[in-house]
Every structure is written in C-alpha cells, then in structure tokens.
C-alpha cells in the first residue's frame, strides 16, 4: 500500500508541476508579445508615417533612395514577425487573436508591403504556410 501511495503522490506532484510550468511559460510568452507590440507602437509614434495610409499606399511606387521606405520595410518585417508569433501563440484561433487586437485592419494597412516585398520571395520563404494563408484570406 505504501508503494502505491508514493507512486500516486509522485504522479500528482509531477502533474501539478507540469501545469504550473506550462501556465508560467504561457504568461511569459504573453508578456513578450505585449512588450513587442509596445515597441512597435513606440516606433509608429516616433515615425507616424509608418501607420499613415497615404504613405503605406505608396509602397509600390517607392523611391529606393528615400530612407523612409527602408524604415517602413523594416517596420513591416517587425509587424508581420510579431503577427506570426501572435498567431502561433493563440494556435491560429482567429477569434482569440481578434480579442487580443484588431489584426485585420493592421494587415490591410500594410498590404502593399506584404504583397510586394522588397526582397523577392521574402514572405513565401520567411513565413509559415498557415500564417501566409490567413494573411491572404484577410486581404481578400
């Protein structure tokens, strides 16, 4: 009987430890996502044109000598990298993602940079197919 009790106690202890560890990891991941979003927002406040529709719509006619477009290209990489992490965090559950933030409007604002990246195949090779599929769906 003592051996059975010890085995059950060890099993319960292991399960509790696993649940606590997983919850801690999830909270840390959410904090990193919030921190990353905060950093992106700070950039958009410092350089407001990064979120200005008039500017973002000019992506396809950009001047390669204008450093604003280089900054915008890097900004979009930050945005889409963040979004991919967000989608992974919520296991691609669009309802949960949209409770966190309005991703559709953000994706649509930066559609030209997504659809016509400065480096050919950047989005095709750089992102998970499931993520690319959702982005494509949001842009319809």
């Amino acid at each position: 009987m003592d051996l059975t009790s010890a085995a059950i106690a060890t099993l319960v202890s292991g399960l509790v430890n696993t649940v606590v560890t997983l919850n801690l990891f999830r909270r840390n991941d959410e904090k990193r996502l919030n921190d990353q979003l905060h950093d992106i927002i700070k950039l958009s406040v410092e350089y407001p044109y990064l979120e200005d529709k008039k500017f973002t719509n000019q992506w396809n006619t950009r001047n390669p000598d204008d450093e604003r477009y280089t900054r915008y290209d890097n900004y979009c990489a930050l945005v889409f990298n963040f979004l991919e992490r967000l989608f992974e965090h919520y296991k691609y559950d669009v309802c949960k993602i949209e409770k966190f933030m309005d991703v559709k409007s953000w994706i649509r604002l930066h559609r030209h940079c997504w659809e016509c990246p400065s480096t050919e195949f950047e989005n095709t090779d750089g992102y998970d197919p499931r993520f690319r599929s959702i982005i494509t769906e949001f842009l319809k």
Side-chain angles (χ1 to χ4, degrees):
M1 206 58 160
D2 288 329
L3 188 57
T4 303
S5 297
I8 291 172
T10 301
L11 180 65
V12 169
S13 174
L15 287 172
V16 168
N17 186 38
T18 300
V19 168
V20 168
T21 300
L22 289 173
N23 281 336
L24 184 61
F25 176 76
R26 184 147 183 86
R27 275 188 261 141
N28 285 341
D29 196 40
E30 286 174 357
K31 183 182 178 340
R32 281 191 299 272
L33 284 168
N34 279 311
D35 291 346
Q36 189 176 7
L37 179 58
H38 178 73
D39 290 343
I40 292 170
I41 291 170
K42 280 178 22 181
L43 278 173
S44 71
V45 169
E46 187 174 350
Y47 304 102
Y49 62 88
L50 297 172
E51 291 288 326
D52 182 338
K53 189 172 185 165
K54 281 191 245 177
F55 181 82
T56 63
N57 282 343
Q58 295 175 17
W59 175 251
N60 293 333
T61 60
R62 65 192 173 274
N63 175 354
D65 296 326
D66 187 340
E67 77 173 34
R68 293 177 310 152
Y69 290 100
T70 303
R71 183 175 291 117
Y72 178 62
D73 188 31
N74 291 327
Y75 178 79
C76 283
L78 289 172
V79 166
F80 286 107
N81 288 344
F82 166 78
L83 290 173
E84 184 177 41
R85 284 192 60 228
L86 181 67
F87 277 67
E88 288 170 355
H89 175 78
Y90 286 110
K91 297 177 178 30
Y92 294 88
D93 185 329
V94 175
C95 291
K96 289 181 181 178
I97 293 164
E98 289 181 331
K99 283 183 183 177
F100 181 81
M101 68 177 294
D102 176 19
V103 293
K104 286 181 184 176
S105 295
W106 214 16
I107 291 166
R108 290 172 180 155
L109 177 65
H110 302 295
R111 80 177 303 133
H112 299 294
C113 193
W114 174 263
E115 293 174 336
C116 185
S118 60
T119 304
E120 192 174 13
F121 303 112
E122 179 178 12
N123 296 333
T124 304
D125 297 340
Y127 294 100
D128 181 85
R130 191 170 178 188
F131 176 73
R132 290 192 321 260
S133 174
I134 292 172
I135 298 298
T136 301
E137 192 64 32
F138 283 171
L139 293 176
K140 288 184 178 178

